[in-house]
Amino acid sequence: MGAVRLVAVRLVSAALVVWAAATCAFLVLQLIPGDPVYAIVGSDALVSEEQHEAIRQQYGLDEPLIVQYLAYLGRLATGRFGDSYQLQQPVATVLADQLWPTVQLALGATLLAPLLAVLVTVATSGRANWPRRVSAVVELVVVSTPSFWLGIMLLTIFSFRLGWLPVAETGDFASLILPTITLALPIAAVLTQVLREGLLGALEQPFVITARARGLPEPAVRYRHALRHAALPALTLAGWFTGTLLGGTVIVENVFARSGIGRVTLQAVGDRDLPVVQGVVALSAVVFVAASALVDVLYAVVDPRLRKRTGVQAA
Amino acid sequence: MTEQPLLDVDGLHVRFGAGATQVHAVRAASLRLYAGRCLALVGESGSGKSALARSLLGLAGPTASVTADRLRVAGQDALRFGPRDWRRIRGRHIGLVAQDALVALDPLRPIGTEITESLLAHRTVPRSQAADAVVGLLTRVGVPEPEERARQYVHQLSGGLRQRALIASAIAAGPGTLIADEPTTALDAAVQARVLDLLAELKEQGTGLLLISHDLAVVEALADEVAVMRAGVIVESGPTERVLDDPRHDYTRELLAAVPGSRPRPARAAPPAPGEDLPLLSVTGAVKHFAGGRGARRTAVAGVDFTLRAGETLGLVGESGSGKTTLARMVLGLVRPDEGTVLLDGLPWSGAPERARRARRRTIQLIPQDPLSAFDPRWPVSRVIGEALAATGVPRRDRLGHTVRLLERVGLAPDLLDRRPAALSGGQRQRVAIARALAPEPRLLVCDEPVSALDVSVQAQVLALLRRLQNELRLATLFISHDLAVVREVCDRVLVMKDGRVVESGPVEDVFAGPAHPYTRSLLDAVPKRARRISREPAQERL
């Protein structure tokens, strides 16, 4: 298969994923009880029959469902999601304004979580058993702690007690540290479990005996040979986590009173601001597709058997 | 002898674990290895030969305890070695060549990087000259186009080249001793012979070789001295000629008797005369292509014809990639030929719709090479066989009785019913595989390298069982193997395949006594000489 065709297949499947996510979002939002007009004008506002009808017409809510759906797909395809009911701004503008703080946070967590996972794995996979046991308990606690509580604990210790870091967003780097850690820790804990399992498995492989028989020092055997093998399953998981980061920011941004996509999402869902919710769904579908494409590229970097040039030829 | 030995071991014990579950893997082993000599450790799986070899590298594992009266490696007292001392010895004074290079070299790194690692680990070559040294090493072990190969990964190389690359990485830092642990077991006969030549060459250049093998033919080709191990004890040792020609220990005699081809060909029920009845299986003009890389087409089977009658055993011989397995899959109805037909019992088999074929599938059963991977590891024996019985419509209440009778038929006791595959020995596992294949009362067995994963003595038992079953049940058998001695022992006729074509076929004695095609001759020449001598003798007597 040529490279052009490979990319084309990839793009078509990416478009399918975004379409499927947008369709699901559209259908689910139809199931929410209540009149969207009240979401637009606010539930307390008194509106006359005529005003009510005018708003329905203005937002196309009087059209049959299929026409609304096709119009929605048309807007999606051109990147315009319509206006937010609440903010009276185009959805694209709302999301674009809030994108950067969230990107900072998500990018930080994406870099920090694998880094932590590798460091902890390296530190606890030596010959001695006890660091592994301690780490396994800590990982379990971190994974099972709700992240809002984790965030509050970190705030209590480092901001209120020690006063090292700011409580809320100040715009500089210091205010990014605690939210990033809160977002990254649970991910790092799961990645560590997978990575260590993979490392211990790889150390049982025959090529490790060969490497040791060459007279390599133990760290070289572990980190030059075995760790790379352990990275493959962890990579799959890391790609998935990157896709879910947008969901994670909902909680973290609210706990740390940061602006960002997560905060906008929570508000939009609460206010039934349908165009914004649909915009966020489409955005997160795109992030997922991009993350999994990136993981596929990284696979080929780690494993030569998956590369085009050096790959395994089908028998 | 005044020369100092490379390895000097006395009273070596290796124990794994502690307390009641402790395994005493090596008991009071003594051996001496000199430069330019080859000592072979022979024994079956579990005899402790690998544990012994690993302990000479200080790599017996974290749960092992190694004790000895004397353990001298490269002239130094290894009993006092710490981790750092062992690292200095490994690679620099003792190299290790393991069994299967596909997994013994890191699959994620080019072979050149792997060899460089050996060079740099002991700083024998400055980094700037490492690339040249790698090319030199690959040339020395007979790898063509060394610059290009150094950039390739193990999975891109053929079995023979892979093993050469592994040897190159083992000798990179110039060790005086090489431990070769089953270095040719994963290879075809012809490739095996070339790798053995390479090892012999290294020996002549002064390397001391500790060869570990269960294959007496390989041992004979290479070793100056043999030590036979059983259950952790060296039961007999001495010069190769003496041990093989005049074995003193019963176990050595047992091992020698079990070598395929060492027995006279057993009397067989006469195979049916051609034309007497309809062939059970007939393959006509079978062709199969597979899509290769970059739109290329690879022809796996290029026009093969053969027939097989009830009670007849047809051997299918060839190297890996010759199309044996694809042909077997066509016979099993798993691969559809691009051209040609397969008739089963005179009725169309290939190309018939699966719905029509399913009821007839019980006629053909497969005995796989490695039953451990062909069984569900969580299923006990009773369920493995019960499933095959269920598929042929045996009612649930009768299955247990049937299973016990099948186990008896293959020589297994009913107390194995609750065992899982991992808790069975290799021989027991292959017997269970045979029992499972017999469950649907087939008329044709396809055996794909059925004994190549087994130790010689077990191999002999399983072959005897297959022969008995063929005679009793008048089964037709398609027997795939790369081991000519095994084929000669069980087959009536033989097909020799190369590059998808049958290059020679005929009665087994004729093909072995007077091979017509040069390829058949090269396959026969590749069989190490003892097996060849033994297997040729009776054929010549008949002339």
Side-chain angles (χ1 to χ4, degrees):
Chain A
M1 211 189 299
V4 177
R5 202 171 144 207
L6 217 63
V7 171
V9 167
R10 196 83 219 189
L11 283 176
V12 168
S13 64
L16 277 175
V17 169
V18 175
W19 168 76
T23 304
C24 285
F26 181 82
L27 292 175
V28 167
L29 290 173
Q30 295 306 317
L31 296 177
I32 295 175
D35 190 337
V37 172
Y38 290 109
I40 296 166
V41 299
S43 53
D44 300 332
L46 285 169
V47 281
S48 66
E49 275 299 303
E50 295 82 50
Q51 281 171 314
H52 190 270
E53 205 45 46
I55 293 169
R56 281 178 67 86
Q57 273 179 14
Q58 186 193 337
Y59 285 89
L61 295 171
D62 53 343
E63 306 276 355
L65 206 57
I66 183 74
V67 176
Q68 287 187 44
Y69 173 63
L70 290 175
Y72 162 64
L73 284 189
R75 289 198 300 274
L76 186 69
T78 53
R80 291 179 288 117
F81 297 93
D83 289 352
S84 158
Y85 293 165
Q86 293 286 317
L87 306 166
Q88 309 301 334
Q89 272 180 320
V91 170
T93 316
V94 174
L95 294 185
D97 287 350
Q98 302 293 327
L99 199 57
W100 181 235
T102 303
V103 166
Q104 281 180 312
L105 188 60
L107 210 60
T110 308
L111 296 177
L112 182 64
L115 186 72
L116 272 179
V118 170
L119 287 178
V120 174
T121 305
V122 166
T124 60
S125 64
R127 280 184 202 271
N129 249 333
W130 65 265
R132 257 198 295 286
R133 298 225 177 101
V134 171
S135 171
V137 172
V138 174
E139 285 153 28
L140 204 64
V141 169
V142 171
V143 169
S144 43
T145 307
S147 56
F148 70 87
W149 195 78
L150 193 66
I152 292 170
M153 288 312 288
L154 288 174
L155 269 179
T156 311
I157 296 168
F158 292 102
S159 302
F160 298 129
R161 281 283 167 81
L162 300 170
W164 289 353
L165 294 164
V167 176
E169 189 179 2
T170 54
D172 60 0
F173 179 72
S175 68
L176 198 61
I177 293 174
L178 285 184
T180 307
I181 291 175
T182 310
L183 198 55
L185 266 185
I187 300 175
V190 177
L191 284 183
T192 307
Q193 288 176 336
V194 173
L195 207 54
R196 190 168 46 225
E197 195 60 35
L199 187 70
L200 295 178
L203 285 173
E204 304 283 307
Q205 297 293 316
F207 65 82
V208 167
I209 288 278
T210 310
R212 286 193 176 132
R214 282 183 196 132
L216 281 195
E218 191 61 20
V221 173
R222 277 162 196 271
Y223 310 126
R224 249 189 265 161
H225 288 273
L227 194 62
R228 197 161 161 194
H229 288 258
L232 283 170
L235 203 55
T236 315
L237 208 59
W240 186 78
F241 272 124
T242 309
T244 60
L245 273 181
L246 215 54
T249 59
V250 172
I251 293 162
V252 172
E253 285 175 355
N254 276 283
V255 169
F256 289 92
R258 287 175 59 86
S259 52
I261 301 279
R263 203 122 184 256
V264 169
T265 310
L266 191 64
Q267 263 170 16
V269 170
D271 298 340
R272 273 189 279 149
D273 194 342
L274 304 193
V276 174
V277 174
Q278 288 167 341
V280 169
V281 168
L283 178 68
S284 77
V286 169
V287 170
F288 245 108
V289 169
S292 64
L294 186 69
V295 165
D296 282 355
V297 172
L298 287 177
Y299 270 144
V301 170
V302 174
D303 192 339
R305 288 165 295 190
L306 303 175
R307 276 173 227 160
K308 180 99 186 113
R309 203 166 48 78
T310 57
V312 179
Q313 300 286 329
Chain B
M1 222 179 281
T2 51
E3 192 193 352
Q4 202 189 29
L6 299 168
L7 294 172
D8 190 357
V9 180
D10 245 330
L12 178 81
H13 290 262
V14 181
R15 297 175 177 86
F16 291 104
T21 59
Q22 191 183 60
V23 177
H24 200 157
V26 178
R27 297 158 192 257
S30 300
L31 58 87
R32 226 143 272 133
L33 178 69
Y34 293 92
R37 308 278 291 169
C38 173
L39 168 65
L41 272 180
V42 177
E44 309 204 323
S45 13
S47 61
K49 53 195 198 306
S50 287
L52 169 53
R54 297 268 171 87
S55 65
L56 298 177
L57 282 160
L59 286 175
T63 62
S65 85
V66 178
T67 58
D69 299 331
R70 183 167 62 224
L71 179 58
R72 295 184 69 82
V73 174
Q76 298 167 47
D77 185 4
L79 290 172
R80 295 190 193 167
F81 277 3
R84 192 178 290 267
D85 302 306
W86 274 119
R87 265 204 316 271
R88 212 163 28 72
I89 291 292
R90 290 179 204 145
R92 185 75 184 90
H93 294 280
I94 308 183
L96 173 71
V97 178
Q99 182 169 351
D100 182 1
L102 188 59
V103 288
L105 287 171
D106 192 333
L108 301 186
R109 299 168 18 121
I111 57 163
T113 313
E114 289 281 277
I115 299 170
T116 309
E117 193 171 73
S118 306
L119 290 169
L120 298 182
H122 299 284
R123 299 194 179 81
T124 44
V125 169
R127 193 175 283 273
S128 57
Q129 287 163 32
D132 292 336
V134 167
V135 170
L137 279 162
L138 286 174
T139 311
R140 185 172 163 205
V141 297
V143 173
E145 297 155 355
E147 288 94 353
E148 196 180 317
R149 300 290 180 197
R151 285 191 297 273
Q152 290 187 319
Y153 296 87
V154 253
H155 70 266
Q156 295 176 286
L157 301 177
S158 70
L161 286 185
R162 247 176 233 160
Q163 204 68 21
R164 283 166 196 271
L166 181 61
I167 293 172
S169 98
I171 62 171
T177 310
L178 207 55
I179 297 180
D181 191 350
E182 305 273 7
T184 59
T185 305
L187 303 175
D188 284 327
V191 183
Q192 172 175 333
R194 291 196 288 272
V195 171
L196 288 180
D197 286 345
L198 171 61
L199 290 173
E201 211 180 293
L202 291 173
K203 188 181 84 171
E204 258 158 48
Q205 291 163 7
T207 307
L209 205 57
L210 181 64
L211 175 72
I212 298 167
S213 184
H214 68 271
D215 188 341
L216 289 171
V218 168
V219 167
E220 190 190 23
L222 212 53
D224 304 300
E225 273 169 276
V226 178
V228 180
M229 267 190 104
R230 182 195 202 178
V233 182
I234 295 180
V235 294
E236 177 165 7
S237 62
T240 307
E241 284 289 305
R242 205 280 291 151
V243 173
L244 296 190
D245 291 336
D246 177 24
R248 296 196 184 143
H249 195 276
D250 286 344
Y251 180 67
T252 316
R253 257 173 247 142
E254 236 174 80
L255 272 184
L256 281 166
V259 171
S262 59
R263 292 169 293 274
R265 251 171 78 83
R268 301 178 52 90
E276 182 182 287
D277 49 10
L278 207 63
L280 180 60
L281 178 81
S282 73
V283 176
T284 322
V287 173
K288 182 73 194 174
H289 307 287
F290 289 109
R294 298 171 196 281
R297 219 167 51 145
R298 204 172 61 75
T299 305
V301 177
V304 171
D305 309 89
F306 70 89
T307 57
L308 188 55
R309 286 160 204 288
E312 189 185 31
T313 302
L314 177 66
L316 194 54
V317 176
E319 303 196 341
S320 15
S322 59
K324 296 179 304 213
T325 301
T326 307
L327 194 59
R329 289 197 179 154
M330 280 186 206
V331 170
L332 285 164
L334 301 173
V335 162
R336 193 190 176 124
D338 294 335
E339 285 168 43
T341 52
V342 179
L343 298 182
L344 181 64
D345 228 355
L347 297 170
W349 175 246
S350 64
E354 186 57 32
R355 189 191 290 270
R357 242 181 353 196
R358 192 160 293 138
R360 295 163 68 209
R361 279 200 179 275
R362 59 185 292 182
T363 314
I364 306 184
Q365 291 296 313
L366 170 74
I367 297 175
Q369 174 172 10
D370 176 16
L372 190 57
S373 56
F375 292 156
D376 187 323
R378 289 177 190 80
W379 284 15
V381 170
S382 57
R383 200 168 164 196
V384 166
I385 296 175
E387 187 194 35
L389 289 170
T392 34
V394 175
R396 189 175 291 275
R397 61 179 185 284
D398 298 342
R399 279 182 213 155
L400 187 66
H402 259 80
T403 307
V404 171
R405 274 197 297 283
L406 280 167
L407 289 182
E408 263 169 32
R409 170 141 248 170
V410 298
L412 291 176
D415 58 342
L416 296 180
L417 276 172
D418 297 324
R419 297 268 193 96
R420 280 171 223 289
L424 298 172
S425 72
Q428 287 172 334
R429 235 178 258 148
Q430 200 54 282
R431 282 168 196 265
V432 171
I434 295 171
R436 179 171 74 167
L438 292 179
E441 294 170 8
R443 292 159 61 201
L444 172 62
L445 285 183
V446 176
C447 305
D448 189 358
E449 303 271 6
V451 294
S452 56
L454 301 176
D455 286 325
V456 270
S457 63
V458 183
Q459 206 173 53
Q461 293 161 11
V462 170
L463 288 175
L465 171 66
L466 279 173
R467 267 197 315 271
R468 182 166 62 79
L469 292 171
Q470 281 162 12
N471 287 339
E472 281 175 15
L473 306 171
R474 267 180 65 76
L475 289 170
T477 309
L478 181 63
F479 193 97
I480 302 170
S481 181
H482 67 272
D483 189 336
L484 296 174
V486 168
V487 167
R488 189 190 160 273
E489 197 171 316
V490 294
C491 297
D492 303 310
R493 279 193 302 138
V494 62
L495 292 182
V496 181
M497 278 189 85
K498 179 176 167 56
D499 301 331
R501 289 175 201 285
V502 174
V503 295
E504 181 155 7
S505 69
V508 116
E509 291 89 349
D510 297 355
V511 172
F512 275 64
H517 194 278
Y519 178 69
T520 316
R521 241 171 281 145
S522 76
L523 276 184
L524 281 170
D525 287 344
V527 175
K529 53 183 184 281
R530 168 169 298 263
R532 193 161 75 229
R533 187 173 72 218
I534 296 165
S535 59
R536 271 184 179 172
E537 272 161 7
Q540 280 159 355
E541 278 161 19
R542 228 172 271 125
L543 288 173

